C-alpha cells in the first residue's frame, strides 16, 4: 500500500486530524505526511478543516463542485493542446465558480503557469530582438512620432 492510500485510510469526512495525529496513526514521518497532505488537498481528495490546521477526507470533486470541475476539465484540455491564453481564461472561470481555498489555490497555480508559458511563447516568437524595444517602437506605443516625446 502506498503512502497516500495509508493517509486517506485514516482520514474521515467528519473527524479532523492534524498532521501529527496522522503521522502517529500511520507511522509515516510528519514531514512526509505534510507533503502528501498538500498533494491530497490540491487534488481535492482531502480538505483543510477551517477550525484548526487539520484535515478531513475530501468529497468527489465532480460531485461537490460540478461548476469548478467543468471549467477545470476544459482548462486542462486547452493546456495540453498548448492554448495557454484560453486555458488561463478557463482557469479564471474555475476560480470564480468556487469559494473553497484549496480549489482556488489550484486554479491560481494553473493561471500563473499559463501566464508564464504565454510570456515565453511571445519572447521566443520575437527572435533575436526578444526583450528589446527600438526607439521607434516606444514612440509608437506612446502615440507620438519618432523624436517627439
Amino acid at each position: 500500500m502506498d503512502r497516500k492510500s495509508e493517509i486517506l485510510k485514516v482520514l474521515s469526512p467528519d473527524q479532523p486530524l492534524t498532521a501529527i495525529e496522522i503521522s502517529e496513526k500511520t507511522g509515516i514521518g510528519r514531514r512526509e505526511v505534510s507533503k502528501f497532505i498538500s498533494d491530497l488537498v490540491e487534488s481535492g481528495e482531502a480538505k483543510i478543516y477551517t477550525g484548526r490546521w487539520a484535515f478531513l477526507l475530501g468529497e468527489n470533486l465532480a460531485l461537490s463542485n460540478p461548476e469548478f470541475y467543468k471549467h477545470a476539465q476544459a482548462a486542462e484540455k486547452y493546456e495540453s493542446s498548448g492554448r495557454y491564453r484560453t486555458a488561463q481564461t478557463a482557469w479564471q472561470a474555475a476560480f470564480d465558480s468556487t469559494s473553497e481555498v484549496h480549489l482556488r489555490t489550484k486554479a491560481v497555480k494553473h493561471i500563473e503557469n499559463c501566464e508564464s508559458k504565454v510570456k515565453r511563447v511571445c519572447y521566443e516568437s520575437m527572435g533575436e530582438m526578444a526583450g528589446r524595444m527600438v526607439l521607434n517602437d516606444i514612440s509608437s506605443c506612446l502615440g507620438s512620432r519618432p523624436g517627439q516625446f
Side-chain angles (χ1 to χ4, degrees), residues 71-87:
H71 292 298
Q73 268 192 320
E76 287 172 349
K77 184 180 79 175
Y78 294 136
E79 273 186 274
S80 66
S81 65
R83 297 173 59 195
Y84 300 114
R85 289 178 199 247
T86 309

Side-chain angles (χ1 to χ4, degrees), residues 34-108:
S34 296
K35 177 191 171 293
F36 284 116
I37 279 288
S38 67
D39 292 343
L40 292 170
V41 167
E42 186 174 321
S43 70
E45 295 176 81
K47 62 182 179 179
I48 298 172
Y49 179 68
T50 55
R52 59 185 184 140
W53 192 246
F55 307 94
L56 295 167
L57 187 62
E59 306 98 29
N60 184 341
L61 186 61
L63 297 176
S64 64
N65 290 293
E67 193 68 21
F68 178 88
Y69 183 71
K70 180 182 78 171
H71 292 298
Q73 268 192 320
E76 287 172 349
K77 184 180 79 175
Y78 294 136
E79 273 186 274
S80 66
S81 65
R83 297 173 59 195
Y84 300 114
R85 289 178 199 247
T86 309
Q88 193 174 5
T89 303
W91 279 116
Q92 184 63 50
F95 177 90
D96 293 338
S97 71
T98 187
S99 61
E100 291 192 37
V101 174
H102 71 280
L103 296 178
R104 286 183 150 214
T105 302
K106 179 178 182 174
V108 166

